[in-house]
Amino acid sequence: MSNEVRTPEIAKLGHFGLVSKDLEKSLWFFKEVVGLEETEVKDGVHYLRAWGDFEHHTMTLRQGEESHVDHIAWRTKREEDVDAFAKKLEQAGIEIRWVDEGTEAGQGKAFRFELPSGHTFEIYFKMEKTLASPESRSVLKNQSHKSWARGVSPRRIDHVNILTSLLANDLSDFLQDQLGFNLRECVQTPDGNLVGAWLSVTPLVHDIAISHDPFAASTQEIHHVSYWLDNSQDLLRAADILKENGIFFKGPGKHGISQAMYIYAIDPGSGVRLELFTNGYLIFEPDWEPIVWSIDEMDIGFTYWGDQMDTKPENNPTIKVYDDKKPIRS
Amino acid sequence: MSNEVRTPEIAKLGHFGLVSKDLEKSLWFFKEVVGLEETEVKDGVHYLRAWGDFEHHTMTLRQGEESHVDHIAWRTKREEDVDAFAKKLEQAGIEIRWVDEGTEAGQGKAFRFELPSGHTFEIYFKMEKTLASPESRSVLKNQSHKSWARGVSPRRIDHVNILTSLLANDLSDFLQDQLGFNLRECVQTPDGNLVGAWLSVTPLVHDIAISHDPFAASTQEIHHVSYWLDNSQDLLRAADILKENGIFFKGPGKHGISQAMYIYAIDPGSGVRLELFTNGYLIFEPDWEPIVWSIDEMDIGFTYWGDQMDTKPENNPTIKVYDDKKPIRS
Amino acid sequence: MSNEVRTPEIAKLGHFGLVSKDLEKSLWFFKEVVGLEETEVKDGVHYLRAWGDFEHHTMTLRQGEESHVDHIAWRTKREEDVDAFAKKLEQAGIEIRWVDEGTEAGQGKAFRFELPSGHTFEIYFKMEKTLASPESRSVLKNQSHKSWARGVSPRRIDHVNILTSLLANDLSDFLQDQLGFNLRECVQTPDGNLVGAWLSVTPLVHDIAISHDPFAASTQEIHHVSYWLDNSQDLLRAADILKENGIFFKGPGKHGISQAMYIYAIDPGSGVRLELFTNGYLIFEPDWEPIVWSIDEMDIGFTYWGDQMDTKPENNPTIKVYDDKKPIRS
Amino acid sequence: MSNEVRTPEIAKLGHFGLVSKDLEKSLWFFKEVVGLEETEVKDGVHYLRAWGDFEHHTMTLRQGEESHVDHIAWRTKREEDVDAFAKKLEQAGIEIRWVDEGTEAGQGKAFRFELPSGHTFEIYFKMEKTLASPESRSVLKNQSHKSWARGVSPRRIDHVNILTSLLANDLSDFLQDQLGFNLRECVQTPDGNLVGAWLSVTPLVHDIAISHDPFAASTQEIHHVSYWLDNSQDLLRAADILKENGIFFKGPGKHGISQAMYIYAIDPGSGVRLELFTNGYLIFEPDWEPIVWSIDEMDIGFTYWGDQMDTKPENNPTIKVYDDKKPIRS
C-alpha cells in the first residue's frame, strides 16, 4: 500500500442550475414539452431529471431576475476526490466556495469555483439516488421512471457546451490540467488557435464543449445544455412536438464532430438553448489522438447535413453562467 | 512521484478470433451479409472490423477443423499494464503464454491465459489504427470507413457473452478481482447462485456477460459476440437483410437487462451466434450498485418484449472458446 | 348523360362500434394508453378518433353486458351509393335495417346488415368532419389534432380483421360481389379452400381481412381492429408504453403478407385485440393478381420475422361482432 | 347494361424517361447510390425500377445531348381507357402521338401529348410485370426484388413535381378536367392565383405537383421526381450515403403540405432533382376539400421543419420536360 494521494477524478456531468426570469414558462417547457420528471420542489427550487437519470436531479430550476445558469456540477469518482480537487484547485490559486450538504436537495458536501472564463462549476460526490414515485416508476429495475410519459421524453442528460469570447485554448488546457478532461476533437486555426474544443472524462465524445465566438456577449455564456434520446426517429418526433407547442428550434441535422444528430430548441422562459441529441460515436481507445478540424473543414464538422444553426451572434442571444454570489467577470 | 506500480486496467474489449470449419461461408456472412470491412489478409487470417471501429481489427477469421473462438482479446489502458497484468495473474497462479508482436497482424506484445472455466483471453495494448483504403474511407475525419457500404453495416464491436455449465459466481469474481471488471447486473437464485452476470470496465452495461446453463455443452462455450447499430430501425433493416439471405435468427426483441434491443443470428459457416445490438443505457455512476434480478424476474430481464431465444440447450448448439495450443478443459 | 345507376362503391373503412363490459378500463386503454382523441360523449357513447383521422369518429365505445363489436362501418364514395347499396343488397336477399341520421353522432342516414357469417356491417356516406378543440388542434391545416399528445398516438384507423369458423371463400366472394372489394392476398389449401383473405377497395393491401380458424368460437368473431403509425420506431416505442402500462401484447414482428410490422395488444376492458401497424406496401396496379400463399408458405406469410401470435384458439379468446338488435347467428 | 363509354381513368404514375448528357454518371447515381434495379438494357435505354415496384420499369435512362425528361407516363385503370383518353384529348383539341407497342420495352400501345405548359405526358395500360432475376428476387412473393441490396434502396416510385413559369391554375384545371386528377392541397394568392398545386388520382396526397416560379427557366421544367422509403430513419441513412458519395442535397426536412419528410438530391449526371420521401398522410375521403394555404402560410407549408430548399431560381437549375420529337415550346 502507498500513502500517496491518488489524483482526483471526475466521473461525469451531474447537473446544471437554471435560473429563469419566467419560471412558469420554463417549468411548462421542461416538464410538459420536454417531459422531464420532477423529483421534488424545495425552497422554490424545482429538481428535475430525465426518466433514465439515476441521480436525484440533473437540472434545477428556479425564478430569478435575470435568466442564467448558476452552476454546472460534476460528480467525482470517489468521495475523497471532492476534498482532493478543492486542495488541487486552491494550490493552483483558484478561489473555492464550499456548499454545505443539503443546500442543494439530495446533495452532499460540494464546492464551487470559476473557470478562467468566469463560468461557475460545482464539484460533488454524494447525491441521493431517488426512487420515482410508485405511479411514475418503471417496471424495469434498472430504469428510474417510465419512459414516454409526456412530451419529448429524453433518456438522460448528456453534456453542456459553454460559449466564450475567449479563444478555447486556455479553457481547454484548464479542463485537462485541473480536472482531467481529455481533448477528443477540436477546430483549430493555422495559428494554433482553438475555436472549438470537445472534451470528456467518459467515452462520450464530449461531456463538455467549448465554443469560441469573438462576438459572444461575454467570456462566460452557455451555448447549450443537452439531453439524450435513443433513436433518430425520437428526435424527429421531438421536432413535431416542439412545432406543435410553438417552440423555436433549429435542426434536425447531423454534426460531423461527434457524428451525432441534434435539434437546438430555445426555452421560452429562460432563453437557454436545449440540445436534443442522439446517435454519434463513443471513444473507448485509451490512446485517443484528438481529431483536429481546420477552419476549412469546420462547416462539415458543425453540420454534416441538415438544418444548421445561424452562426451570427446577433441571432443567437445566449445567457450567462454565473453564481449569484459572484460578480460577473466580463 | 511514487514508484508504486499502478493497478493495471482494462480499457475495452478489443477483438475475438473466430475459427470456422467453413471459412468461405463465414467470410460471406461477415463480409457480405453483416458488412464488416477487411483490413488485410495475412497467413490465411482475415482481419475484419466494422466501419466505426478504430483498431486494425475487432475480429479475425480463419479456417479450422473445428469451429471455435480461439481467444477474446482485451486492450489495456496503458502499455505497461500488459506486463503488470501478466505479473498479477502469475502471482495468482495462472499460466500465461506470450504472443509475440506481429503474430497477430497489427498487434504488439500480448499474452494469453485461461479463465477458471477454460475460456481463453488475450491481453494487449499496442494495436495499429489502420486507415481505410481511399475508396472505402469516410469523408468524416473521425470515422474509419464509409458507413452503409454493404449489408447490415454495424458501427462497432460491442461485447461478448460467454456460456458455461459452471455457476457464474466464480467467473464473475475472477473478472472483478483479477481484471477489474464491475458487476452491473445479475440474475441470482435465492441461494446466492449467479446464473447470469453482466460486467464492464466501460460505461456500457456489459463488455462481457456470463451465461450459466447447467446443460451447456462445456464450461467454456461462447453464447454470442455482439456488434452495435445506432438505431432500432437499423436493427429491423438487419432482420430484412438476414431473412433475404436465408440466415437463421431470433429477435428482434428488447432485453430488460441492459434495456437494449437485439437480434441473434447464426453464422452459417462457423455456427457462432452474432448479436446485433442497439439502444440501452450507459452507466456513468461511480458508485453503481449491481441490479439483482431474481429467478422470477428473469423472464422480463431477458426479454422485456419481442421474439425470445429458445432457451433449451438442444436448440442452442454453441461453439467453444479455446486456444489451439491448449487442450479443452471440459 | 346516361340515366343508368352507377355501381355503388365503398370508399373506405369508416369506424367500428366497440361495446365493453368494463367501459372505464377500455376508456383508459384507448384514450390514455393508445392516445385516441375524444370528439364527444353523447348518450353514454364515447366517439373517438386518432389525431390524423378526418371523420367525426373512427371508433365508438360504450358500456354493455357482453363485450362485442356492434358494427363495422364503411363509407361510400357518393351520397347516392347508400341507397344503391341498400337496393343491391336487398335484391340479393339480404335484410337491411335503416339507422336514422344522428342516431350515431355526426353521421347521416345509414343502414346495417349481416354478412353470411353474421358479422354486422354499416353503410353510410354523410359524416361530420369535426374540427379538434382549439387546444388540441394541430398547427398544420391538413391534420386534425396535434400528434404525440398522449400514449402510443397512432395516426389513423387502418383496417379490420374478422375471424370466423367458416372457410373464407364465401365471405371473400360476398365482399367482392356485393361490396366491390378486391382480393389482394390469400392463403389457400390445395383443395382451393381459403383460410385467409386480404381485401381492399383502397390501395392498402387490406381494408378488411378474413381469418379462418376451424376452432374459432363462432362464425362471427373479430380478430382485431388496427390503427396506423408512420414509423417502425413508433411501433417499438408503443411496445415500451404497453409494457409500462401492463398491457398484454404479442409482437413486434413483420408480416410477409402485406409486408407490414405489427403489435397485437389486448384492451383489458373489452378483450378486443388492437393491432398497431406500420410500413408495408400499397397496391396501385389496376390489374393486380391476388398473391396466393400455400399452407406451406403460411408461416412466412403470417410472420416474416419477429414475435408471432400464439395460434392456438384457446390462447386467443375473441369477441363477437353483432348488432344488439340482431340475435347472434352461431 | 348501358353502352355508354365509361369516363377513362388514370390509375397511377407509371414512369418517367430521363435523358442524361452524362449517362455513365447518371447510371452510377441511380444504380449504385440510389440503388435502383435494372430490368434490362435495350437499344441504349436502361430500364430501372425500385425493389418494390411491380411494373417492368418506373424510370428509363439514356444518353442525350441535353439532359431532360422526355416523358412522364401514366397508367390507365383499364385497357380501353387508352383509346378513350386519346379520343377525349383530341376532342379537346390536343395533338396526340401514338407510340407502338414495344417501342418502350415491356410496354403496350401508348400515346404522348403535351400539357398546355409543354410538358410531355404518356398514357398507357399494358406493361410487363417482370420477375426479378433469381439472385435478386425477394423471398417474399409480394415483393419484386430483395430490399437493401445497394445504396439508399427506396421502395417504389412516388410522384413527380413539375415546375413552370406559368401560374398553376390552368395546368391544375387541365389535370382535373382532362385526366381526372383531384386537387388535394394548393397555395393561393389573395387574387386566386395558384402558385402550387398538389393533385392525385390515388390516396397519395399527390401523384403530381405543379410548382409555379415566375423566374423558372421555362413553362416546362421538372422540379423533381420522387421515390418512397418506409421510415424516417431510412431517409437519414440516405443522407449519410449521399454525403459519403459526394452528392449535393438539401434536407432532411418535413413538409407541412403532405406532412411528408424529404431529401432533395441532384443527379450529378443529368442534373435532375430526386426527392427521397417518407411518412405523410393518405386521403381516403371521397369528398376531400382541397387544403388551401395562403402566401403567408406557404413557409410552413413547404418546410414544417428542417433544412429547406433554397428558393432562388438561380440556385435551382432545372431540366426541361420534352419529347425529342416535339420542339420546346417556351
Side-chain angles (χ1 to χ4, degrees), chain D residues 171-215:
Chain D
L171 275 175
S172 174
D173 287 349
F174 182 91
L175 292 176
Q176 292 177 74
D177 297 342
Q178 298 300 330
L179 300 174
F181 281 86
N182 303 293
L183 184 63
R184 303 308 202 165
E185 305 207 33
C186 61
V187 180
Q188 200 173 35
T189 68
D191 299 336
N193 291 334
L194 287 188
V195 299
W198 287 257
L199 304 103
S200 66
V201 290
T202 70
L204 300 181
V205 173
H206 59 315
D207 301 313
I208 186 167
I210 309 164
S211 293
H212 163 64
D213 186 328
F215 303 104

Short mmCIF file of all heavy atoms in Angstrom, two decimals, chain D residues 171-215:
data_model
loop_
_atom_site.label_atom_id
_atom_site.label_comp_id
_atom_site.label_asym_id
_atom_site.label_seq_id
_atom_site.Cartn_x
_atom_site.Cartn_y
_atom_site.Cartn_z
N LEU D 171 -53.00 24.69 -65.51
CA LEU D 171 -52.48 23.32 -65.51
C LEU D 171 -53.28 22.45 -64.54
O LEU D 171 -53.57 21.28 -64.82
CB LEU D 171 -51.01 23.31 -65.11
CG LEU D 171 -50.02 23.57 -66.24
CD1 LEU D 171 -48.60 23.65 -65.68
CD2 LEU D 171 -50.11 22.44 -67.27
N SER D 172 -53.58 23.03 -63.39
CA SER D 172 -54.36 22.29 -62.40
C SER D 172 -55.74 21.96 -62.97
O SER D 172 -56.23 20.82 -62.84
CB SER D 172 -54.48 23.12 -61.12
OG SER D 172 -55.35 22.51 -60.20
N ASP D 173 -56.36 22.91 -63.63
CA ASP D 173 -57.68 22.66 -64.24
C ASP D 173 -57.56 21.58 -65.31
O ASP D 173 -58.41 20.69 -65.41
CB ASP D 173 -58.22 23.95 -64.89
CG ASP D 173 -58.68 24.95 -63.84
OD1 ASP D 173 -58.78 24.58 -62.65
OD2 ASP D 173 -58.92 26.12 -64.21
N PHE D 174 -56.52 21.66 -66.10
CA PHE D 174 -56.33 20.68 -67.18
C PHE D 174 -56.22 19.27 -66.60
O PHE D 174 -56.86 18.33 -67.08
CB PHE D 174 -55.07 21.02 -67.98
CG PHE D 174 -54.82 20.09 -69.12
CD1 PHE D 174 -55.33 20.38 -70.39
CD2 PHE D 174 -54.09 18.92 -68.96
CE1 PHE D 174 -55.11 19.51 -71.47
CE2 PHE D 174 -53.87 18.04 -70.02
CZ PHE D 174 -54.38 18.34 -71.28
N LEU D 175 -55.40 19.13 -65.56
CA LEU D 175 -55.21 17.80 -64.96
C LEU D 175 -56.51 17.27 -64.37
O LEU D 175 -56.79 16.07 -64.44
CB LEU D 175 -54.13 17.85 -63.87
CG LEU D 175 -52.70 18.10 -64.36
CD1 LEU D 175 -51.74 18.23 -63.17
CD2 LEU D 175 -52.22 16.98 -65.28
N GLN D 176 -57.31 18.17 -63.82
CA GLN D 176 -58.60 17.75 -63.26
C GLN D 176 -59.60 17.42 -64.37
O GLN D 176 -60.24 16.37 -64.35
CB GLN D 176 -59.15 18.84 -62.34
CG GLN D 176 -58.32 19.03 -61.07
CD GLN D 176 -58.82 20.17 -60.19
OE1 GLN D 176 -59.84 20.05 -59.54
NE2 GLN D 176 -58.10 21.29 -60.19
N ASP D 177 -59.73 18.33 -65.34
CA ASP D 177 -60.78 18.18 -66.35
C ASP D 177 -60.46 17.07 -67.35
O ASP D 177 -61.33 16.28 -67.72
CB ASP D 177 -60.96 19.50 -67.11
CG ASP D 177 -61.42 20.61 -66.18
OD1 ASP D 177 -61.92 20.31 -65.07
OD2 ASP D 177 -61.27 21.79 -66.56
N GLN D 178 -59.24 17.04 -67.82
CA GLN D 178 -58.91 16.09 -68.90
C GLN D 178 -58.49 14.73 -68.36
O GLN D 178 -58.70 13.72 -69.02
CB GLN D 178 -57.80 16.67 -69.79
CG GLN D 178 -58.18 17.97 -70.49
CD GLN D 178 -59.40 17.80 -71.40
OE1 GLN D 178 -59.64 16.72 -71.95
NE2 GLN D 178 -60.21 18.85 -71.52
N LEU D 179 -57.85 14.73 -67.19
CA LEU D 179 -57.25 13.47 -66.74
C LEU D 179 -57.85 12.94 -65.43
O LEU D 179 -57.47 11.87 -64.96
CB LEU D 179 -55.73 13.63 -66.61
CG LEU D 179 -55.02 14.01 -67.92
CD1 LEU D 179 -53.55 14.29 -67.66
CD2 LEU D 179 -55.17 12.91 -68.97
N GLY D 180 -58.75 13.70 -64.84
CA GLY D 180 -59.46 13.19 -63.67
C GLY D 180 -58.71 13.29 -62.35
O GLY D 180 -59.07 12.61 -61.37
N PHE D 181 -57.65 14.11 -62.30
CA PHE D 181 -56.96 14.30 -61.02
C PHE D 181 -57.84 15.09 -60.06
O PHE D 181 -58.70 15.86 -60.46
CB PHE D 181 -55.64 15.07 -61.24
CG PHE D 181 -54.53 14.21 -61.78
CD1 PHE D 181 -54.39 14.00 -63.14
CD2 PHE D 181 -53.64 13.58 -60.91
CE1 PHE D 181 -53.37 13.20 -63.64
CE2 PHE D 181 -52.62 12.78 -61.40
CZ PHE D 181 -52.48 12.58 -62.78
N ASN D 182 -57.58 14.88 -58.78
CA ASN D 182 -58.25 15.64 -57.71
C ASN D 182 -57.26 16.60 -57.09
O ASN D 182 -56.14 16.22 -56.76
CB ASN D 182 -58.73 14.69 -56.61
CG ASN D 182 -59.65 13.62 -57.16
OD1 ASN D 182 -60.76 13.91 -57.61
ND2 ASN D 182 -59.17 12.37 -57.16
N LEU D 183 -57.70 17.84 -56.89
CA LEU D 183 -56.84 18.82 -56.20
C LEU D 183 -56.89 18.51 -54.71
O LEU D 183 -57.96 18.47 -54.12
CB LEU D 183 -57.34 20.24 -56.49
CG LEU D 183 -56.48 21.36 -55.90
CD1 LEU D 183 -55.08 21.35 -56.49
CD2 LEU D 183 -57.15 22.71 -56.13
N ARG D 184 -55.71 18.31 -54.11
CA ARG D 184 -55.64 17.90 -52.70
C ARG D 184 -55.21 19.05 -51.79
O ARG D 184 -55.74 19.23 -50.71
CB ARG D 184 -54.65 16.75 -52.54
CG ARG D 184 -54.98 15.53 -53.41
CD ARG D 184 -56.39 15.04 -53.24
NE ARG D 184 -56.54 13.64 -53.65
CZ ARG D 184 -57.58 12.89 -53.35
NH1 ARG D 184 -58.61 13.40 -52.68
NH2 ARG D 184 -57.64 11.63 -53.74
N GLU D 185 -54.19 19.77 -52.22
CA GLU D 185 -53.72 20.93 -51.46
C GLU D 185 -53.24 21.96 -52.48
O GLU D 185 -52.90 21.60 -53.62
CB GLU D 185 -52.55 20.55 -50.53
CG GLU D 185 -52.84 19.41 -49.58
CD GLU D 185 -52.01 19.46 -48.28
OE1 GLU D 185 -51.71 20.57 -47.80
OE2 GLU D 185 -51.69 18.38 -47.76
N CYS D 186 -53.23 23.23 -52.09
CA CYS D 186 -52.71 24.26 -53.00
C CYS D 186 -52.27 25.48 -52.21
O CYS D 186 -52.65 25.67 -51.06
CB CYS D 186 -53.74 24.66 -54.05
SG CYS D 186 -55.25 25.34 -53.37
N VAL D 187 -51.42 26.28 -52.84
CA VAL D 187 -51.04 27.59 -52.28
C VAL D 187 -51.61 28.64 -53.22
O VAL D 187 -51.39 28.61 -54.43
CB VAL D 187 -49.50 27.74 -52.18
CG1 VAL D 187 -49.14 29.09 -51.61
CG2 VAL D 187 -48.90 26.61 -51.34
N GLN D 188 -52.37 29.57 -52.64
CA GLN D 188 -53.15 30.51 -53.43
C GLN D 188 -52.89 31.94 -52.96
O GLN D 188 -52.84 32.20 -51.76
CB GLN D 188 -54.63 30.17 -53.24
CG GLN D 188 -55.55 30.70 -54.31
CD GLN D 188 -56.96 30.17 -54.14
OE1 GLN D 188 -57.43 29.98 -53.02
NE2 GLN D 188 -57.64 29.94 -55.25
N THR D 189 -52.76 32.84 -53.90
CA THR D 189 -52.64 34.27 -53.55
C THR D 189 -54.04 34.82 -53.28
O THR D 189 -55.05 34.18 -53.63
CB THR D 189 -52.03 35.07 -54.71
OG1 THR D 189 -52.97 35.08 -55.80
CG2 THR D 189 -50.71 34.45 -55.18
N PRO D 190 -54.11 36.01 -52.69
CA PRO D 190 -55.43 36.63 -52.46
C PRO D 190 -56.23 36.81 -53.76
O PRO D 190 -57.45 36.82 -53.74
CB PRO D 190 -55.09 37.98 -51.83
CG PRO D 190 -53.72 37.80 -51.22
CD PRO D 190 -53.02 36.83 -52.12
N ASP D 191 -55.52 36.92 -54.88
CA ASP D 191 -56.20 37.08 -56.17
C ASP D 191 -56.68 35.76 -56.77
O ASP D 191 -57.20 35.73 -57.88
CB ASP D 191 -55.24 37.71 -57.20
CG ASP D 191 -54.78 39.09 -56.76
OD1 ASP D 191 -55.51 39.73 -55.97
OD2 ASP D 191 -53.69 39.51 -57.21
N GLY D 192 -56.45 34.67 -56.08
CA GLY D 192 -56.88 33.39 -56.61
C GLY D 192 -55.85 32.73 -57.50
O GLY D 192 -56.14 31.72 -58.15
N ASN D 193 -54.65 33.29 -57.56
CA ASN D 193 -53.60 32.66 -58.36
C ASN D 193 -53.00 31.48 -57.61
O ASN D 193 -52.64 31.60 -56.44
CB ASN D 193 -52.48 33.67 -58.66
CG ASN D 193 -52.95 34.75 -59.62
OD1 ASN D 193 -53.86 34.54 -60.42
ND2 ASN D 193 -52.33 35.92 -59.52
N LEU D 194 -52.90 30.36 -58.30
CA LEU D 194 -52.28 29.18 -57.68
C LEU D 194 -50.78 29.20 -57.95
O LEU D 194 -50.36 29.22 -59.11
CB LEU D 194 -52.86 27.90 -58.27
CG LEU D 194 -54.27 27.49 -57.89
CD1 LEU D 194 -54.56 26.08 -58.42
CD2 LEU D 194 -54.44 27.51 -56.37
N VAL D 195 -49.99 29.19 -56.90
CA VAL D 195 -48.54 29.13 -57.09
C VAL D 195 -48.01 27.72 -56.80
O VAL D 195 -46.86 27.43 -57.06
CB VAL D 195 -47.80 30.20 -56.25
CG1 VAL D 195 -48.27 31.60 -56.66
CG2 VAL D 195 -48.03 29.98 -54.77
N GLY D 196 -48.88 26.88 -56.27
CA GLY D 196 -48.51 25.48 -56.06
C GLY D 196 -49.78 24.67 -56.01
O GLY D 196 -50.80 25.13 -55.46
N ALA D 197 -49.75 23.47 -56.58
CA ALA D 197 -50.94 22.61 -56.55
C ALA D 197 -50.49 21.17 -56.44
O ALA D 197 -49.55 20.76 -57.12
CB ALA D 197 -51.78 22.82 -57.81
N TRP D 198 -51.16 20.42 -55.58
CA TRP D 198 -50.84 19.01 -55.35
C TRP D 198 -52.07 18.20 -55.73
O TRP D 198 -53.14 18.40 -55.14
CB TRP D 198 -50.47 18.80 -53.88
CG TRP D 198 -49.12 19.35 -53.53
CD1 TRP D 198 -47.97 18.65 -53.36
CD2 TRP D 198 -48.76 20.74 -53.34
NE1 TRP D 198 -46.92 19.51 -53.08
CE2 TRP D 198 -47.37 20.79 -53.06
CE3 TRP D 198 -49.46 21.96 -53.40
CZ2 TRP D 198 -46.69 21.99 -52.83
CZ3 TRP D 198 -48.78 23.15 -53.17
CH2 TRP D 198 -47.41 23.16 -52.89
N LEU D 199 -51.91 17.29 -56.68
CA LEU D 199 -53.08 16.57 -57.21
C LEU D 199 -52.82 15.07 -57.25
O LEU D 199 -51.68 14.63 -57.43
CB LEU D 199 -53.39 17.04 -58.64
CG LEU D 199 -53.63 18.55 -58.83
CD1 LEU D 199 -52.41 19.19 -59.45
CD2 LEU D 199 -54.85 18.79 -59.69
N SER D 200 -53.90 14.31 -57.14
CA SER D 200 -53.73 12.86 -57.22
C SER D 200 -54.98 12.17 -57.73
O SER D 200 -56.09 12.69 -57.63
CB SER D 200 -53.35 12.28 -55.85
OG SER D 200 -54.40 12.43 -54.92
N VAL D 201 -54.76 10.99 -58.28
CA VAL D 201 -55.85 10.05 -58.60
C VAL D 201 -55.89 8.94 -57.55
O VAL D 201 -56.86 8.21 -57.48
CB VAL D 201 -55.67 9.44 -60.00
CG1 VAL D 201 -55.92 10.49 -61.08
CG2 VAL D 201 -54.29 8.80 -60.16
N THR D 202 -54.84 8.81 -56.77
CA THR D 202 -54.75 7.78 -55.73
C THR D 202 -54.92 8.46 -54.38
O THR D 202 -54.99 9.69 -54.30
CB THR D 202 -53.36 7.10 -55.76
OG1 THR D 202 -52.40 8.05 -55.31
CG2 THR D 202 -52.99 6.61 -57.15
N PRO D 203 -54.95 7.69 -53.29
CA PRO D 203 -54.99 8.31 -51.94
C PRO D 203 -53.71 9.03 -51.54
O PRO D 203 -53.67 9.67 -50.50
CB PRO D 203 -55.27 7.12 -51.02
CG PRO D 203 -55.97 6.13 -51.87
CD PRO D 203 -55.28 6.26 -53.21
N LEU D 204 -52.64 8.91 -52.33
CA LEU D 204 -51.47 9.75 -52.05
C LEU D 204 -51.90 11.21 -52.15
O LEU D 204 -52.75 11.55 -52.96
CB LEU D 204 -50.35 9.48 -53.06
CG LEU D 204 -49.80 8.05 -53.13
CD1 LEU D 204 -48.68 7.97 -54.18
CD2 LEU D 204 -49.28 7.60 -51.77
N VAL D 205 -51.31 12.06 -51.35
CA VAL D 205 -51.66 13.48 -51.42
C VAL D 205 -51.34 14.03 -52.81
O VAL D 205 -52.05 14.87 -53.34
CB VAL D 205 -50.93 14.29 -50.33
CG1 VAL D 205 -51.16 15.77 -50.51
CG2 VAL D 205 -51.40 13.84 -48.95
N HIS D 206 -50.25 13.53 -53.40
CA HIS D 206 -50.02 13.92 -54.79
C HIS D 206 -49.31 12.81 -55.56
O HIS D 206 -48.37 12.20 -55.09
CB HIS D 206 -49.24 15.23 -54.92
CG HIS D 206 -47.89 15.26 -54.28
ND1 HIS D 206 -47.63 14.77 -53.03
CD2 HIS D 206 -46.71 15.76 -54.73
CE1 HIS D 206 -46.36 14.98 -52.73
NE2 HIS D 206 -45.78 15.56 -53.74
N ASP D 207 -49.86 12.57 -56.74
CA ASP D 207 -49.15 11.81 -57.75
C ASP D 207 -48.35 12.78 -58.60
O ASP D 207 -47.35 12.43 -59.21
CB ASP D 207 -50.14 11.04 -58.63
CG ASP D 207 -51.00 10.09 -57.83
OD1 ASP D 207 -50.44 9.34 -57.00
OD2 ASP D 207 -52.24 10.11 -57.99
N ILE D 208 -48.84 14.02 -58.62
CA ILE D 208 -48.15 15.09 -59.34
C ILE D 208 -48.37 16.40 -58.60
O ILE D 208 -49.44 16.63 -58.04
CB ILE D 208 -48.66 15.21 -60.80
CG1 ILE D 208 -47.82 16.24 -61.58
CG2 ILE D 208 -50.14 15.54 -60.86
CD1 ILE D 208 -48.03 16.21 -63.08
N ALA D 209 -47.34 17.22 -58.56
CA ALA D 209 -47.49 18.58 -58.06
C ALA D 209 -47.06 19.54 -59.15
O ALA D 209 -46.25 19.21 -60.02
CB ALA D 209 -46.66 18.78 -56.81
N ILE D 210 -47.66 20.73 -59.10
CA ILE D 210 -47.29 21.81 -60.03
C ILE D 210 -46.68 22.93 -59.19
O ILE D 210 -47.34 23.46 -58.30
CB ILE D 210 -48.52 22.35 -60.78
CG1 ILE D 210 -49.32 21.22 -61.41
CG2 ILE D 210 -48.10 23.40 -61.81
CD1 ILE D 210 -50.74 21.64 -61.83
N SER D 211 -45.43 23.27 -59.49
CA SER D 211 -44.78 24.37 -58.78
C SER D 211 -44.63 25.55 -59.72
O SER D 211 -44.01 25.43 -60.78
CB SER D 211 -43.38 23.94 -58.29
OG SER D 211 -43.48 22.95 -57.31
N HIS D 212 -45.18 26.66 -59.33
CA HIS D 212 -45.04 27.87 -60.12
C HIS D 212 -43.89 28.71 -59.59
O HIS D 212 -43.78 28.95 -58.39
CB HIS D 212 -46.32 28.69 -60.05
CG HIS D 212 -46.13 30.11 -60.48
ND1 HIS D 212 -45.77 30.46 -61.77
CD2 HIS D 212 -46.23 31.28 -59.79
CE1 HIS D 212 -45.66 31.78 -61.85
NE2 HIS D 212 -45.93 32.30 -60.66
N ASP D 213 -43.02 29.12 -60.50
CA ASP D 213 -41.97 30.08 -60.14
C ASP D 213 -41.86 31.06 -61.30
O ASP D 213 -41.54 30.65 -62.42
CB ASP D 213 -40.64 29.35 -59.92
CG ASP D 213 -39.57 30.28 -59.39
OD1 ASP D 213 -39.58 31.48 -59.73
OD2 ASP D 213 -38.70 29.80 -58.63
N PRO D 214 -42.15 32.34 -61.06
CA PRO D 214 -42.13 33.32 -62.17
C PRO D 214 -40.75 33.40 -62.82
O PRO D 214 -40.64 33.81 -63.97
CB PRO D 214 -42.51 34.64 -61.50
CG PRO D 214 -42.32 34.44 -60.03
CD PRO D 214 -42.51 32.98 -59.78
N PHE D 215 -39.72 32.98 -62.09
CA PHE D 215 -38.37 33.04 -62.63
C PHE D 215 -37.90 31.70 -63.19
O PHE D 215 -36.73 31.54 -63.51
CB PHE D 215 -37.40 33.53 -61.55
CG PHE D 215 -37.78 34.85 -60.97
CD1 PHE D 215 -38.37 34.95 -59.71
CD2 PHE D 215 -37.59 36.03 -61.69
CE1 PHE D 215 -38.74 36.17 -59.18
CE2 PHE D 215 -37.94 37.26 -61.17
CZ PHE D 215 -38.54 37.34 -59.90
#
